[in-house]
Amino acid sequence: MRFLTLLLTSLFGLALAVGGSWLLALHGSPFYLLSGLLLLMVAWGLWRHRRWPTWLYAGWLLVLLAWSLWEAGLYWWPLATRLGVPVLLGLLMALPAARRSSPRGYTGPAGWPVLLVSLAVAAVALAGIPRHLHEIDGTLPMDIVNANPALGDSPQPDGEWQAYGRSGYGQRYSPLAQITPANVGQLQLAWQMQTGDVRLPQDVGETTYEVTPLKIGNTLYLCTPHSLAFALDADTGKVLWKFDPAAGMEPQRQHQTCRGLSYYTEPTPAAATTPASTAATASTAAAPAPAAVPAAGQACSSRVFLPSADAKLHALDAQTGQHCTDFGNNGVLDLLHNMPFKQAGYYYSTSPPLVAGGKVIVAGAVNDDYAINSPSGVIRAYDVHSGQLLWNWDSGNPTQTAPLDPNNPNQVYTPSSPNSWSVASADEALGLAYFPMGNRTPDQLGMYRSPAEETYASSVVALDIGSGQVRWVQQFVHHDLWDMDTPAQPVLLDLDLPQGRVPALVQPTKQGDIYVLDRRDGKPLLPISERTAPQHVDIPGQHAAPTQPSSALSFEPKPLREADMWGASLIDQMLCRIQFRQLRYDGRYTPPTLQGSLIYPGNFGTFNWGSVAVDPQRQVMFGMPTYLAFVSRLVPKNETGGRAMNKGEHGLNENKGADYAVEMTPFMSPIGVPCHVPPWGTIAAADLRTGKIAYQHRNGTIRDLSPIPLPIRIGVPGIGGPMLTSTGVAFMSAATDDNFRAYDLATGKVLWDVRIPAGGQATPMTYLNSQGEQMVLLVAGGHGSTGTKAGDYVLAYKLKK
């Protein structure tokens, strides 16, 4: 025991002394070096049977406690990682056997000083358990502000879910009321099915199961990562039909996912006279004549649209799953038409197209940072019946929306122009479609962009549904060098403000800002300010914007400090501090550099494609702010030799044609946990009329992240989205533990928590089955980038009878 104590103390001291010297040379804290030297002295004293080592170690524990409280405050997680190993070593040192020089007798130092101090230090740390960093306690106002809010352009039965966010408004809100905060705990699994589409060994890293199914009539419609489409019986999950587009495998795809299908049905004669359809008809008066319209009940009078991973759009009969042969080329459109470059795997639609105004409007994802000459980010509107191209809006050539000739190879869109890879929304009464815009590739090199691309990148743009012309644009990042695409579907609702009821648009961003705009003209309803941004760049031709926008409603984290570095022990925390000091970090919007820059929030995003859910009656929002820092490093091409490139969004990507590759990695400790203090994932709610945050709580456990499955609620990252019901229940999975939860919208309290068989990185939905029972449905199949368990499950829950 004595030898073990000497060995552990010596190794601990040596590691802190060597690493502390390195940290001090980087102008970091001297505490680690001084601690290492002191521990080596303690080890020497124990070896020489001196009486002072335990007193010295006890004194060091008290100094360590004071230093930890000064840096981190009385919070359990930062204290536990600083104090845990030293306290355990102190308790070991207090054992007589650890200090005994021989079996016949004890001649070493006294053990009681280090025992008492170790216990006292542990007690202080334990006192921090009820306290948590970055949490806000409060209650969300739950008064009904608008008893009859608009839930979308076209009325749909309360028990249906006809679009990705339930309607073109993207609210992720259901008026169903059977499930309440009082009875949600009685939910149980009603049925589950498995699609058979599983992750394959040859799949790309970001193979993800992100679909939110649709529910029309008594049928559910969904797609899978490899672009299969299914229709299921909503009562039982029985497969009604299955469609396989044979999209094949392609190693150059950055993503292998399908977030959803889109649905269209012929409007009834009554619907044809509504203001929404009248506005749409007026705006498309100059458009080419559409194909013949199928009569109700005929084949393809209702159809679903599937974007497949080989850059095609399929129109399928909603009843049979067969191609609608009147659309495109026997039911298929090749979306690579008129593209300036057509590299396999560089372009396809990961999100469902927008169906509005008799059009199916398609945007697409363009691979980040693979090549400067890549496919265009063009947005195109096709006739919903014939597939004829009606207009195209190319952010690199934004004023020319007359359709190109798909059969003329000499007519091409702008290479690499900013794209819209997430989900769009529409207000057909206003005649507007709202697209969240990404950046021009390469994301981290700004010298290739035109003035038009600079205008529309990392923004939300409102396009005229009839013509494709821009009505307004609001940008959220100027001269984006960080891959801070606008990632989420804009959410539409009406807000009751002092000036009256205003049609609003709510836009979450990766930076954590929530922008609230008038959706008629893009003007802010909550204030937007400009703040000074870091300017340091270190490659020719690169520059950074002098200021960046910021919203009055924001979940952005505080800037990182060296004291915020984290790890399982003092040693890996010290190594994270060394990394922190080696990187360039000037706060939010630190430009990428050759040195390597710390980007926080990182490009994973505080909010991502899961967006937020909005209650249009109470005019409040619920979401999942996530906090992960990333490292962005520019790599000269002569330094990339032999390294693997173009394996996904993260890692080393080539930027073919540019002088620099880019390397993007999460900011992790040597043992693979985030280098900054948790929580890394939270749930939060805010009043959209005032911009006031009501609460923010850590979300999710480390059960599926740690070698030992401990359900410790630390607040883990996640990707996915929430769903709300009219009774004030929020449903969400998304976190990197395999759990599905329901929350009280008013307080954020967890009301129901159930294990699921795979990662739930999708957004749930709810509907009524044929018996009038409210069901809650989630797809669970995991997410390649977050490392959650893969699967192919569709899970449906209902209340116990």
Side-chain angles (χ1 to χ4, degrees):
M1 184 67 76
R2 180 171 182 270
F3 175 77
L4 178 62
T5 305
L6 283 170
L7 180 64
L8 292 177
T9 306
S10 300
L11 291 177
F12 195 26
L14 184 61
L16 291 178
V18 173
S21 299
W22 190 2
L23 179 59
L24 187 61
L26 295 169
H27 308 289
S29 171
F31 185 81
Y32 295 85
L33 172 59
L34 296 174
S35 295
L37 295 175
L38 184 143
L39 289 175
L40 290 173
M41 189 180 301
V42 168
W44 180 85
L46 289 172
W47 177 60
R48 295 302 301 269
H49 312 296
R50 300 293 190 260
R51 292 194 172 273
W52 49 261
T54 53
W55 287 92
L56 182 58
Y57 191 85
W60 175 71
L61 280 180
L62 291 174
V63 173
L64 174 63
L65 175 62
W67 172 76
S68 300
L69 290 170
W70 173 68
E71 276 206 329
L74 187 61
Y75 296 102
W76 165 249
W77 286 114
L79 289 181
T81 56
R82 286 168 167 84
L83 303 175
V85 172
V87 165
L88 291 176
L89 185 56
L91 294 175
L92 178 64
M93 201 178 294
L95 295 174
R99 295 171 283 108
R100 185 177 294 130
S101 59
S102 72
R104 290 185 297 275
Y106 167 71
T107 61
W112 64 266
V114 74
L115 174 63
L116 293 179
V117 172
S118 295
L119 293 175
V121 168
V124 173
L126 291 170
I129 288 179
R131 294 165 53 85
H132 301 282
L133 287 167
H134 314 307
E135 291 217 348
I136 300 170
D137 289 320
T139 301
L140 194 65
M142 295 297 285
D143 298 333
I144 300 296
V145 180
N146 181 357
N148 297 294
L151 303 181
D153 285 307
S154 302
Q156 62 175 298
D158 287 354
E160 296 200 352
W161 194 281
Q162 295 187 356
Y164 179 80
R166 190 170 182 270
S167 75
Y169 279 20
Q171 294 170 348
R172 293 161 184 76
Y173 169 87
S174 170
L176 296 180
Q178 290 181 18
I179 298 171
T180 69
N183 65 20
V184 67
Q186 300 174 33
L187 283 175
Q188 62 181 8
L189 187 67
W191 58 261
Q192 75 175 35
M193 68 85 64
Q194 293 179 258
T195 66
D197 186 358
V198 296
R199 194 175 300 171
L200 302 172
Q202 64 268 39
D203 269 329
V204 298
E206 191 155 320
T207 297
T208 63
Y209 213 95
E210 300 177 354
V211 63
T212 298
L214 310 180
K215 193 266 186 179
I216 296 99
N218 204 46
T219 303
L220 296 164
Y221 299 95
L222 61 101
C223 57
T224 69
H226 296 95
S227 304
L228 280 65
F230 286 85
L232 308 179
D233 183 283
D235 286 355
T236 63
K238 178 184 176 181
V239 176
L240 302 177
W241 57 254
K242 172 185 174 182
F243 171 79
D244 184 353
M249 304 296 291
E250 171 50 57
Q252 288 295 291
R253 289 176 191 152
Q254 272 190 338
H255 308 272
Q256 187 73 47
T257 194
C258 180
R259 295 190 183 96
L261 304 171
S262 300
Y263 172 77
Y264 174 80
T265 191
E266 298 302 331
T268 63
T273 62
T274 63
S277 60
T278 302
T281 302
S283 63
T284 58
V293 177
Q298 289 187 348
C300 291
S301 59
S302 296
R303 56 187 68 188
V304 291
F305 293 95
L306 167 71
S308 59
D310 54 350
K312 292 182 172 62
L313 180 68
H314 301 260
L316 307 176
D317 187 324
Q319 300 303 313
T320 66
Q322 299 297 309
H323 273 125
C324 296
T325 56
D326 59 347
F327 183 86
N329 182 11
N330 289 317
V332 184
L333 281 178
D334 186 346
L335 298 176
L336 291 178
H337 73 79
N338 301 104
M339 284 295 182
F341 297 94
K342 301 182 180 182
Q343 304 100 318
Y346 275 45
Y347 173 93
Y348 83 102
S349 295
T350 56
S351 296
L354 176 68
V355 175
K359 301 170 180 63
V360 54
I361 307 174
V362 185
V366 177
N367 282 358
D368 289 337
D369 302 320
Y370 278 21
I372 62 172
N373 290 319
S374 291
S376 175
V378 63
I379 297 169
R380 291 168 286 190
Y382 301 92
D383 183 273
V384 76
H385 302 106
S386 68
Q388 180 179 1
L389 182 64
L390 301 178
W391 54 255
N392 34 233
W393 183 75
D394 178 358
S395 57
N397 185 22
T399 61
Q400 304 301 313
T401 62
L404 301 191
D405 181 356
N407 299 311
N408 186 344
N410 296 317
Q411 295 183 13
V412 294
Y413 302 115
T414 308
S416 310
S417 54
N419 63 321
S420 182
W421 56 264
S422 191
V423 187
S425 303
D427 184 333
E428 294 189 60
L430 292 176
L432 293 178
Y434 306 95
F435 285 87
M437 297 297 297
N439 198 6
R440 186 203 194 280
T441 187
D443 288 88
Q444 288 77 20
L445 301 176
M447 62 282 291
Y448 299 100
R449 303 168 188 175
S450 69
E453 291 168 338
E454 292 279 33
T455 298
Y456 295 104
S458 305
S459 69
V460 64
V461 63
L463 302 181
D464 186 285
I465 293 174
S467 67
Q469 289 287 337
V470 176
R471 293 273 196 92
W472 57 261
V473 61
Q474 179 65 247
Q475 190 170 67
F476 309 122
V477 188
H478 305 320
H479 193 64
D480 185 355
L481 300 175
W482 305 273
D483 188 24
M484 289 297 179
D485 304 338
T486 307
Q489 182 180 22
V491 183
L492 312 184
L493 80 160
D494 296 336
L495 287 180
D496 287 274
L497 301 174
Q499 63 266 41
R501 185 164 291 170
V502 179
L505 177 149
V506 178
Q507 183 62 67
T509 66
K510 286 186 177 182
Q511 308 89 286
D513 291 328
I514 303 286
Y515 290 88
V516 183
L517 311 174
D518 187 323
R519 67 176 182 264
R520 296 170 296 189
D521 54 21
K523 293 180 179 178
L525 298 175
L526 292 179
I528 300 174
S529 59
E530 292 281 333
R531 64 171 70 168
T532 302
Q535 294 295 291
H536 177 82
V537 296
D538 59 2
I539 62 170
Q542 185 88 299
H543 77 275
T547 64
Q548 292 290 353
S550 179
S551 175
L553 174 54
S554 182
F555 293 92
E556 72 164 312
K558 294 180 180 178
L560 290 174
R561 310 165 299 154
E562 183 190 315
D564 295 319
M565 297 303 102
W566 198 74
S569 70
L570 271 179
I571 293 175
D572 52 316
Q573 182 196 94
M574 174 185 65
L575 295 175
C576 283
R577 289 181 183 241
I578 290 170
Q579 289 187 66
F580 179 80
R581 288 294 181 181
Q582 289 177 316
L583 297 169
R584 182 87 193 187
Y585 181 61
D586 302 317
R588 181 170 159 177
Y589 297 119
T590 300
T593 56
L594 297 168
Q595 172 186 351
S597 295
L598 188 60
I599 311 301
Y600 186 61
N603 78 322
F604 192 81
T606 304
F607 296 99
N608 208 293
W609 53 263
S611 194
V612 297
V614 164
D615 184 327
Q617 288 191 317
R618 300 174 178 93
Q619 302 180 10
V620 297
M621 59 144 279
F622 180 90
M624 185 186 64
T626 294
Y627 302 106
L628 283 178
F630 272 69
V631 176
S632 178
R633 180 175 283 108
L634 303 178
V635 182
K637 286 296 180 65
N638 60 6
E639 297 179 11
T640 63
R643 296 183 61 185
M645 293 190 288
N646 296 359
K647 297 298 182 181
E649 273 193 89
H650 302 146
L652 183 65
N653 285 331
E654 182 180 7
N655 285 338
K656 184 177 181 180
D659 293 331
Y660 300 92
V662 63
E663 187 173 23
M664 291 284 293
T665 55
F667 183 43
M668 294 288 194
S669 80
I671 63 171
V673 298
C675 256
H676 54 91
V677 68
W680 309 302
T682 65
I683 54 100
D687 187 329
L688 292 170
R689 292 182 297 154
T690 64
K692 183 179 179 181
I693 297 172
Y695 58 78
Q696 186 168 10
H697 303 147
R698 68 197 190 284
N699 182 61
T701 73
I702 60 171
R703 176 170 180 167
D704 298 299
L705 297 177
S706 61
I708 303 173
L710 298 174
I712 299 173
R713 189 163 66 99
I714 192 173
V716 295
I719 193 164
M723 178 268 291
L724 293 176
T725 69
S726 65
T727 56
V729 179
F731 289 92
M732 190 173 69
S733 181
T736 49
D737 56 358
D738 299 337
N739 289 63
F740 187 21
R741 298 181 174 92
Y743 307 82
D744 184 344
L745 176 60
T747 64
K749 178 184 176 182
V750 176
L751 301 172
W752 175 73
D753 189 347
V754 64
R755 294 287 288 170
I756 53 178
Q761 282 68 55
T763 302
M765 50 83 74
T766 187
Y767 64 92
L768 291 182
N769 65 14
S770 66
Q771 305 303 308
E773 299 167 309
Q774 185 176 354
M775 312 288 287
V776 176
L777 187 143
L778 174 73
V779 167
H783 193 287
S785 292
T786 62
T788 51
K789 184 179 178 182
D792 61 340
Y793 297 89
V794 184
L795 308 169
Y797 299 85
K798 68 178 181 179
L799 295 172
K800 296 178 183 178
K801 291 186 178 179

